Amino acid sequence: MLRAGRGERVPRPPMWAMRQAGRYLPEFLALRNYGFLERVHTPELAAEITLQPLRRYADRLDAVVIFSDILIVPPAMGLPVYFRPGPQFGRLLESPADLDSLNWKPDVHKEFRFLLDSISLTRRLAAAPTGTPIPPAAEDVGTVAGAGSPEGTPGRDQYWLPRSALPPTLLADMASGAASVGKAVPVIGFCGAAWTLMSYMIDGDLAPAPEAASAAEAAAAAPAAGTAGAAGAPATIAGSKAGERGLVGHKTYERSKRWLYHHPEASHRLLSGIADILVDLLVAQWEAGADILQVFETNGEALPPARFREFALPYLLRVAAGVRARTAPVSEGGPVLSVFAKGAHACLAELADPATSAYDVISLDWSVEPAQAVRVVREAAAKAAASGSAAASAAARPKALQGNLDPCELFGSGDSIASAARTMLAGFGDHPLIANLGHGMLPGHKPEALRAYFDAIHAHAY
Ligand code: CP3
């Protein structure tokens, strides 16, 4: 996985699937008595869910993606988010004046402690041979501190659930070593890109009146309030009525695009503030043990090329450059940086340009023709090499590609899936590829369908 990500030759394409831990897995649904944010904010649960696909597809899967969400960032900036199960905001940005109320400098080690601890626990559980006991997270702080705990105290007071609320079998399996997997695959950390987060913060679904949120939910959705962890028993967040439907769901992005075109300065201020937080967040994930960092510009599809170039691309590039500047080059063991910019066909060449883009892997959505992407990425590398800049000669190698089977292909028969996989592989030819889907797994998928895809990739030797 890491060698393919660096653009090196490997015997077969390595593989993982976006949203590989999720509702299509019965073992994931078995943990749904815990709310989504409870699972995300409790390292033992997040690590276990992250590892579920690795246990199931142990002979196939080459990486795990940490169980979390791109929408953990707005709460750290002061906009609470609930999941029911789709994201709903406690408050949206309405006008540029609202920017002054945001927290532009969250302490990522404090606000995202749960994520960083989930990453390091996942890494230890994945790599340790079966039978090796692994202690639970933050063992030294065994209790949940309620409101008023000293600022910055590390440990379980930063998590949503006390250890006593965890499934006893999970703790027993960690203690006995039964939970250790013995397959040291890379851990993928991630974040949402600036434009995608901005569009959610303006056009997201608005939660019903705040009193509809349970106390535990409200406390944890806004961790800065300091009451997180006050609840002892798992509170579930299922089944509330949807509030006002936001426009991300409508796919018009009318309010957030109005900001771009009517308030360009305020938009750039917001985007650049988010981008700075993302750099801190990704560097922290790398330091916690994530080997690959993927940036999701899922709502890139909302913007026409010229506007994507103006409002999305600069921040995508800035995040990668910022992370690279604070870590190491990929050739010296630094993080593999990956970008998934959905619908950003027109900017593929810019993302692939070694002179300006620090990404190593360009992740393609399912609407991109593989052979066309290979051409664009190779041309971008050749052009940069010909220009003779220092950056270009350092990275004359074309960037790796990732993708891009239409997730809905997994609704086909086993034969149909294998044939679609072969068509895709033929399109990528011998270009360095990380096999993936062109968007995430869907709740209606059968686990056997993903196995059929993985089998077809596994059978493919260069
Ligand atoms: O890929 C993985 O397995 C890791 C986990 C992961 C989740 N969300 C878990 C999740 C990742 C990488 C994400 C990223 C994410 N989240 C994106 C970008 C990728 C993409 O899909 O385009 C976006 C746009 C979000 C925002 C988000 N989170 C939405 C729109 C929803 C509701 C839709 C849905 O799928 O339910 C979520 C909730 C969410 N995030 C779930 C999961 C497993 C489902 C909630 C649940 O299981 O209770």
Side-chain angles (χ1 to χ4, degrees), residues 46-438:
E48 174 57 24
I49 292 170
T50 301
L51 292 171
Q52 284 176 342
L54 187 63
R55 298 189 205 290
R56 181 180 275 268
Y57 307 111
D59 53 342
R60 293 289 179 263
L61 205 53
D62 296 303
V64 292
V65 52
I66 193 69
F67 184 72
S68 180
D69 201 87
I70 64 167
L71 296 178
I72 60 173
V73 169
M77 298 179 73
L79 300 184
V81 180
Y82 314 101
F83 286 82
R84 296 166 164 148
Q88 294 184 356
F89 283 71
R91 167 168 94 90
L92 294 166
L93 297 179
E94 281 170 26
S95 79
D98 293 336
L99 295 183
D100 293 330
S101 70
L102 294 180
N103 180 3
W104 298 91
K105 291 253 168 284
D107 176 345
V108 298
H109 290 97
K110 186 161 177 277
E111 294 291 339
F112 305 113
R113 179 84 263 151
F114 62 89
L115 171 65
L116 307 178
D117 291 351
S118 299
I119 289 171
S120 48
L121 183 59
T122 298
R123 208 169 199 277
R124 276 180 290 149
L125 280 165
T130 310
T132 313
I134 299 290
E139 194 176 40
D140 50 324
V141 186
T143 56
V144 174
S149 68
E151 273 281 293
T153 304
R156 295 209 71 93
D157 59 334
Q158 308 267 344
Y159 309 154
W160 275 41
L161 292 181
R163 207 175 282 168
S164 59
L166 295 175
T169 47
L170 176 55
L171 290 173
D173 286 351
M174 288 174 67
S176 72
S180 305
V181 183
K183 189 168 173 182
V185 293
V187 176
I188 302 170
F190 67 89
C191 68
W195 156 247
T196 293
L197 292 177
M198 170 178 170
S199 62
Y200 269 104
M201 290 162 77
I202 296 168
D203 263 326
D205 287 359
L206 192 61
E211 51 273 24
S214 75
E217 187 188 8
T227 52
T236 53
I237 304 173
S240 10
K241 307 162 277 329
E244 188 202 340
R245 190 100 172 88
L247 295 170
V248 171
H250 291 171
K251 298 265 183 197
T252 67
Y253 304 89
E254 184 180 314
R255 294 184 189 127
S256 46
K257 288 171 79 171
R258 189 192 292 249
W259 268 59
L260 297 183
Y261 306 154
H262 196 74
H263 307 297
E265 275 175 30
S267 298
H268 281 297
R269 183 179 163 214
L270 177 55
L271 290 162
S272 82
I274 296 172
D276 290 344
I277 297 170
L278 298 178
V279 172
D280 285 352
L281 175 58
L282 290 178
V283 170
Q285 291 187 64
W286 159 251
E287 288 167 354
D291 308 273
I292 300 172
L293 301 169
Q294 179 155 314
V295 180
F296 286 92
E297 189 73 285
T298 303
N299 296 348
E301 63 188 2
L303 301 179
R307 295 305 199 169
F308 186 92
R309 209 163 271 128
E310 183 179 357
F311 292 108
L313 183 66
Y315 302 101
L316 280 173
L317 296 178
R318 200 162 117 185
V319 167
V323 173
R324 190 60 79 203
R326 284 170 49 191
T327 55
V330 74
S331 56
E332 292 164 28
V336 169
L337 299 180
S338 168
V339 58
F340 176 71
K342 191 157 190 289
H345 306 102
C347 290
L348 200 54
E350 282 107 319
L351 290 171
D353 182 350
T356 50
S357 164
Y359 290 104
D360 306 293
V361 179
I362 313 301
S363 193
L364 306 171
D365 73 64
W366 49 265
S367 69
V368 182
E369 174 99 84
Q372 167 76 9
V374 169
R375 272 196 298 278
V376 172
V377 166
R378 289 188 172 170
E379 266 170 37
K383 217 168 115 193
S387 81
S389 80
S393 45
R397 199 164 18 211
K399 294 183 191 294
L401 292 169
Q402 174 170 272
N404 80 334
L405 192 81
D406 176 9
C408 289
E409 290 279 6
L410 299 185
F411 291 123
S413 67
D415 286 348
S416 165
I417 293 168
S419 142
R422 284 192 296 269
T423 303
M424 179 196 89
L425 289 166
F428 285 113
D430 64 356
H431 194 87
L433 171 71
I434 296 174
N436 202 322
L437 303 175

